[in-house]
Amino acid sequence: MSKRKTPFDYIVHSVKEEGYLPVELIDRLPRHWRRVGTVGIIELHSSLLPWRKQIGQSYLAGLSELTTVMQKVGVTTAKIRTPGFEILAGDNNTVTLHKELGCKFWLDALKLTFSTGNHAERQRLIEITTEGEHIIDMFACVGNLSLPIGVHHPTVHIKGIEINPYAYSFLEKNIQINHLEARYKPILGDNKNKTPKNWADRVLMGYFDISSKQLEIALQALKQDQGGVIHTHGITTEKQPSSCREAINQLINNKFPHFQIESTNQRIIKSIAPGVNHYVDDICINHTDSA
Ligand SMILES: C[S@@+](CC[C@H](N)C(=O)[O-])C[C@H]1O[C@@H](n2cnc3c(N)ncnc32)[C@H](O)[C@@H]1O
């Protein structure tokens, strides 16, 4: 019995039929792509770039669920984390509805960060959260990490802070369409001066350039008579195994004598490049009296 053809087989077939790509490059066509709503994201080998628009058309034609195909052209930049993408084929309107973990996320896949590689972390946060928790998402974007927690835990309360008005407009919309208005408060502005104090059991810091000031604000956000968990994200390379744990330890020693680190746990979320990983540290902090 012949093997069932995959969408990739059809894409390769149509590229060969159309004949625009030198045959020796066919093997370099990407076998995998990411999908955010109806927007497909491919990464192309540099040798394929002269034909990128035609390749984009071939993927668009072969993947019927897509309305746009983009390629990754660089790293996510600037404070508001604009991802580096180029539209190759399809609709220039990249506002799309992404469904994951029983949640609906409206977002602009061209202009805002939504990493499908963080799926397991979103799932894990749902699993480790307990009912009744108060959660602050200091880098909320469109609700990437915190919306699923609210959807899966009916007694959790969340405050999400987002500095980019465009991302914030989607956060507001997503809170509505996931029916979280009563339990998710969106806050527009800079987390350095908008983060509530003495309220949270858990603080999410899904951002790679966390400053010491922001770590201090996360410590202030925790319930001061109990403590809680701070999740810091970062990038490690073999040369730079950086981590926010030590910075939090120093802040506790200098400014939060009523706190102590109870435990820490680091896990890799995804590989970004060979030897370069996106990791999260779970830093559990308790009140010294509870020791
Ligand atoms: C890389 S995205 C990550 C979104 C999400 N936390 C995740 O991990 O998938 C970071 C978001 O934080 C926002 N941001 C950056 N600096 C901020 C600040 N000082 N206050 C509030 N939001 C900020 C950016 O606009 C962006 O939407």
Side-chain angles (χ1 to χ4, degrees), residues 42-89:
I42 56 178
E43 284 185 45
L44 293 178
H45 187 273
S46 57
S47 60
L48 297 173
L49 293 182
W51 300 275
R52 63 189 186 282
K53 297 273 178 177
Q54 288 127 301
I55 293 171
Q57 281 296 345
S58 299
Y59 279 74
L60 189 66
L63 302 168
S64 56
E65 70 277 19
L66 300 185
T67 53
T68 304
V69 173
M70 316 191 291
Q71 73 153 336
K72 198 161 191 304
V73 287
V75 290
T76 302
T77 54
K79 182 159 73 179
I80 59 167
R81 313 312 284 170
T82 309
F85 295 122
E86 176 193 14
I87 294 176
L88 299 179

Side-chain angles (χ1 to χ4, degrees), residues 18-31:
E18 287 179 44
Y20 61 79
L21 192 66
V23 267
E24 65 277 16
L25 296 181
I26 299 260
D27 272 353
R28 293 193 175 161
L29 287 169
R31 292 175 173 273

Side-chain angles (χ1 to χ4, degrees), residues 137-139 203-207 210 214-215 218 230-233:
D137 187 349
M138 284 178 67
F139 301 90
V203 178
L204 312 180
M205 305 186 82
Y207 188 66
I210 300 170
Q214 284 164 326
L215 291 176
I230 301 179
H231 300 275
T232 60
H233 289 232

Side-chain angles (χ1 to χ4, degrees), residues 215-231:
L215 291 176
E216 184 175 343
I217 282 161
L219 283 162
Q220 288 168 351
L222 291 178
K223 288 177 180 165
Q224 296 300 300
D225 59 348
Q226 290 179 29
V229 185
I230 301 179
H231 300 275

Side-chain angles (χ1 to χ4, degrees), residues 79-81 113 115 118 122 137-141 144-145 161-164 167 189-192 206-207 214 233:
K79 182 159 73 179
I80 59 167
R81 313 312 284 170
T113 304
S115 175
N118 293 358
R122 285 189 270 278
D137 187 349
M138 284 178 67
F139 301 90
C141 198
N144 310 21
L145 293 177
I161 305 136
E162 175 50 54
I163 202 167
N164 175 1
D190 189 332
N191 55 31
K192 291 197 269 314
Y207 188 66
Q214 284 164 326
H233 289 232

